[in-house]
Amino acid sequence: MIDWNFLKESFGFTSLRVGQEEILETLLKGKDALGILPTGTGKSFIYQYYGLFTKQKVVVVSPLIALMHDQVHELQLLGEKKAIALTSMLSSREKNWIIHHLQYYQFIFLSPEMLQDQQVMMNLKQQKIGLLVIDEAHCILQWGYDFRPEYLMLGKIKQELQHPLTLALTATATQQMVQEIKDSLGLDEDVYLFSNNSIRENNRIEVIPVDKTDKNQVIVEILQKVSLPVVIYALSIKALEELKFQLQQIFPQLKMDTYHSKRSKEDRQSIQKQFIKNQLDILLATSAFGMGINKKDIHTIIHYHVPANLEDYVQQIGRAGRNGENADVILLYDERDINLMKHRLIEETNPDLLVNILEKDCSLEYFPENQQTLLQLAKHYHYRTEEARAFFEKVFYDKLNRLQVMQQYCQANTCHRYAIEQYFTNKIKKEPENCQQCANCLQKSIFDRKSEIPQSLLPQNDTTKNQDWQEKFHRLFKKM
């Protein structure tokens, strides 16, 4: 049972959020749990309380170094000094010392890649682990943009650690995703599942059709109607850099930067810190940005391109409005985005092509990253030709089906919230007459709103300064 006195003394709380109490009660009874809780609803509190209350060792598998450091810092603020993040940022000497002194730590954070280290596993096996936490468990799913092949090894690692009590956490999951997580981690079919896939009620959702329209100009107009700070997601690095160049010409007073895989590791860390500290007004990013970002006051999220699936979309818009204030999540729908993604999917994830590459047993270093991942998995599992073909076909059709669901969502004129809830819960419910928080129900667009940006930050009347931005951009990049 929850010790309410301990809760108040250690955390300063007198009550718990939806899902926290149910999951904690399950763990305290010695039963595994799978928690699906939206971003910002206190998933990390669950294992913090469990470890501090039971005084047992907690091992947390997390995909991001920044997220691990944030969690260690949170525990230190709570007075817990025996917390450590075992990451690649440590020197060889520091890493070696920690590995051989794991017994001194109550909270150990590490990545799934670190668990592939034989020394780490050898020393971890000698510890009595009270709780194994798999954070961001959706990284197990092979069709998602957050997929990490090493997450597929966690079921085996759990077995090697003598099946400790296990908690898997993620922000969104369909019934199929839940089953895949259970199967991969070796969780029982009747494992306790708490699911809250709802979108925050303070997030206003809108899909804006932009066929044959200049997307950049639409973004300019949107930015005059929404509150800062803003995250703009795009699938193309070129599109991000081009958009940033234009926006800097039009909104010179706004601070902005890009975040993507072509930026150095140091750049990405610096940009993330600037954004969290409100030193940037607009962040233009690929899907590389988002998971584990601890910023509560993102007021607007814009999707420049249509995401590849509804799961990724919901994960990303879950970053908005975590402080409870009103936030806007806006998606620009261009059917050409869908057609381009279908073309790339057929080109890069074609089962016949992948089987052909696998049979040739050639070097994979020059193939696209998603092809490398699938081929490496097929090799890891020693699939024969027909087994490999079945595996590649499953991934291909999973991705294609999810893309089609995303297209249907964009084209629908019904309630956006209802569509998302139906997809994730698979429950038949009557569509609400008016959810009051999506453009379809409100019958109002973002463009019907007065400007949210101070007058001093709005574009100047002198448009001649900006009308040739494309020419300037292309001239600049020709010189590079």
Side-chain angles (χ1 to χ4, degrees):
M1 296 290 289
I2 304 294
D3 187 323
W4 297 100
N5 289 329
F6 178 82
L7 178 70
K8 187 172 182 180
E9 289 170 8
S10 301
F11 295 89
F13 302 157
T14 55
S15 61
L16 295 176
R17 293 177 179 174
V18 173
Q20 290 178 330
E21 183 174 354
E22 293 88 339
I23 294 172
L24 266 173
E25 293 282 10
T26 301
L27 295 174
L28 291 169
K29 291 175 184 175
K31 297 179 180 179
D32 294 340
L34 171 52
I36 305 168
L37 298 166
T39 305
T41 53
K43 292 190 288 291
S44 58
F45 161 80
I46 297 170
Y47 56 78
Q48 289 171 357
Y49 178 98
Y50 184 89
L52 294 174
F53 179 69
T54 64
K55 295 183 172 56
Q56 295 183 45
K57 193 178 297 291
V58 177
V59 174
V60 183
V61 181
S62 175
L64 293 176
I65 292 174
L67 185 56
M68 293 185 231
H69 287 159
D70 283 347
Q71 296 304 327
V72 170
H73 181 62
E74 276 191 28
L75 283 162
Q76 289 171 344
L77 291 176
L78 290 169
E80 177 53 65
K81 305 301 181 185
K82 297 179 181 179
I84 193 69
L86 188 53
T87 75
S88 58
M89 300 292 285
L90 299 169
S91 67
S92 298
R93 185 177 178 182
E94 289 171 326
K95 177 185 169 186
N96 192 54
W97 192 92
I98 293 168
I99 289 172
H100 289 91
H101 294 83
L102 293 178
Q103 67 272 23
Y104 295 130
Y105 297 102
Q106 188 175 353
F107 291 87
I108 302 168
F109 295 82
L110 36 63
S111 68
E113 290 85 357
M114 191 64 72
L115 287 169
Q116 307 302 309
D117 186 309
Q118 289 185 348
Q119 262 199 326
V120 172
M121 278 303 295
M122 184 175 69
N123 285 275
L124 209 50
K125 286 178 187 178
Q126 296 172 18
Q127 311 303 314
K128 185 176 180 181
I129 299 172
L131 179 66
L132 174 65
V133 181
I134 312 299
D135 202 7
E136 308 290 357
H138 64 278
C139 292
I140 288 168
L141 308 167
Q142 296 163 13
W143 44 262
Y145 73 82
D146 281 331
F147 171 58
R148 297 279 282 269
E150 294 77 12
Y151 262 72
L152 293 176
M153 308 296 125
L154 294 179
K156 182 182 177 185
I157 285 167
K158 177 172 169 275
Q159 190 175 359
E160 290 180 24
L161 295 175
Q162 304 302 312
H163 299 282
L165 183 66
T166 301
L167 169 63
L169 294 166
T170 186
T172 54
T174 61
Q175 290 181 333
Q176 182 184 341
M177 290 167 71
V178 167
Q179 191 59 52
E180 288 183 46
I181 292 169
K182 284 183 186 178
D183 292 344
S184 186
L185 295 178
L187 298 173
D188 292 338
E189 274 302 308
D190 60 350
V191 65
Y192 176 76
L193 169 66
F194 184 89
S195 179
N196 179 13
N197 273 306
S198 61
I199 306 295
R200 286 189 185 82
E201 292 185 3
N202 55 309
N203 285 0
R204 179 190 173 281
I205 307 170
E206 182 167 4
V207 177
I208 301 175
V210 292
D211 286 357
K212 299 178 182 178
T213 307
D214 181 355
K215 276 188 182 181
N216 289 11
Q217 184 56 40
V218 175
I219 295 283
V220 170
E221 293 174 19
I222 290 172
L223 288 176
Q224 297 175 58
K225 303 290 186 178
V226 298
S227 299
L228 304 172
V230 177
V231 176
I232 301 175
Y233 280 109
L235 300 177
S236 158
I237 293 173
K238 181 184 174 186
L240 284 177
E241 294 293 351
E242 186 174 332
L243 178 59
K244 175 194 167 189
F245 184 85
Q246 181 188 9
L247 294 180
Q248 284 176 326
Q249 308 300 308
I250 298 173
F251 301 99
Q253 298 92 334
L254 295 180
K255 296 176 183 177
M256 62 189 75
D257 211 333
T258 56
Y259 185 106
H260 51 70
S261 60
K262 294 290 176 70
R263 302 297 297 264
S264 69
K265 188 175 183 180
E266 293 73 23
D267 273 356
R268 292 198 300 271
Q269 288 176 344
S270 172
I271 292 162
Q272 182 174 315
K273 285 179 182 177
Q274 288 177 59
F275 187 65
I276 289 172
K277 292 180 179 179
N278 290 323
Q279 295 167 359
L280 291 175
D281 300 303
I282 301 174
L283 186 65
L284 302 98
T286 59
S287 58
F289 178 85
M291 185 169 58
I293 301 303
N294 189 19
K295 183 172 175 62
K296 296 182 179 180
D297 62 344
I298 298 175
H299 288 138
T300 307
I301 288 180
I302 303 171
H303 281 89
Y304 186 91
H305 293 119
V306 178
N309 54 68
L310 205 56
E311 290 87 350
D312 292 353
Y313 170 69
V314 171
Q315 281 272 351
Q316 290 168 350
I317 66 175
R319 306 292 160 198
R322 288 174 58 179
N323 59 0
E325 295 182 11
N326 289 337
D328 290 294
V329 292
I330 301 165
L331 189 159
L332 304 188
Y333 172 60
D334 185 344
E335 194 169 356
R336 290 171 294 184
D337 292 347
I338 300 287
N339 293 335
L340 181 59
M341 281 190 281
K342 284 180 181 177
H343 176 74
R344 285 182 179 167
L345 185 59
I346 292 168
E347 196 175 66
E348 295 181 4
T349 322
N350 184 305
D352 292 332
L353 171 66
L354 292 172
V355 168
N356 189 35
I357 296 169
L358 192 66
E359 287 178 334
K360 289 181 178 177
D361 198 26
C362 51
S363 173
L364 303 180
E365 61 179 312
Y366 298 112
F367 289 96
E369 187 177 352
N370 60 341
Q371 286 186 350
Q372 286 186 36
T373 300
L374 293 173
L375 291 163
Q376 285 166 354
L377 283 171
K379 286 185 176 184
H380 174 82
Y381 289 117
H382 305 290
Y383 286 148
R384 292 171 294 183
T385 299
E386 288 311 308
E387 290 173 322
R389 185 184 299 281
F391 168 62
F392 295 145
E393 285 180 352
K394 181 181 183 302
V395 172
F396 174 79
Y397 286 111
D398 270 354
K399 289 188 174 185
L400 184 60
N401 290 337
R402 284 176 167 82
L403 182 57
Q404 289 170 339
V405 168
M406 192 71 224
Q407 184 174 19
Q408 290 166 4
Y409 170 81
C410 292
Q411 293 174 336
N413 56 13
T414 52
C415 176
H416 292 307
R417 288 177 171 277
Y418 176 76
I420 291 170
E421 185 178 355
Q422 283 289 96
Y423 179 73
F424 282 100
T425 64
N426 205 25
K427 292 177 181 176
I428 305 299
K429 286 186 178 180
K430 184 181 178 181
E431 183 176 351
E433 290 184 13
N434 191 335
C435 77
Q436 298 292 329
Q437 281 298 97
C438 84
N440 282 351
C441 286
L442 291 169
Q443 293 293 299
K444 284 184 180 180
S445 169
I446 193 78
F447 301 119
D448 298 325
R449 187 188 299 175
K450 291 182 180 179
S451 176
E452 296 276 346
I453 293 181
Q455 192 68 30
S456 60
L457 299 181
L458 288 173
Q460 304 302 309
N461 291 330
D462 181 11
T463 57
T464 58
K465 177 180 168 183
N466 303 314
Q467 64 188 11
D468 62 341
W469 69 269
Q470 286 174 313
E471 182 186 335
K472 289 180 184 177
F473 178 83
H474 292 301
R475 190 165 63 244
L476 174 68
F477 275 78
K478 264 188 178 178
K479 294 177 182 178
M480 295 178 67

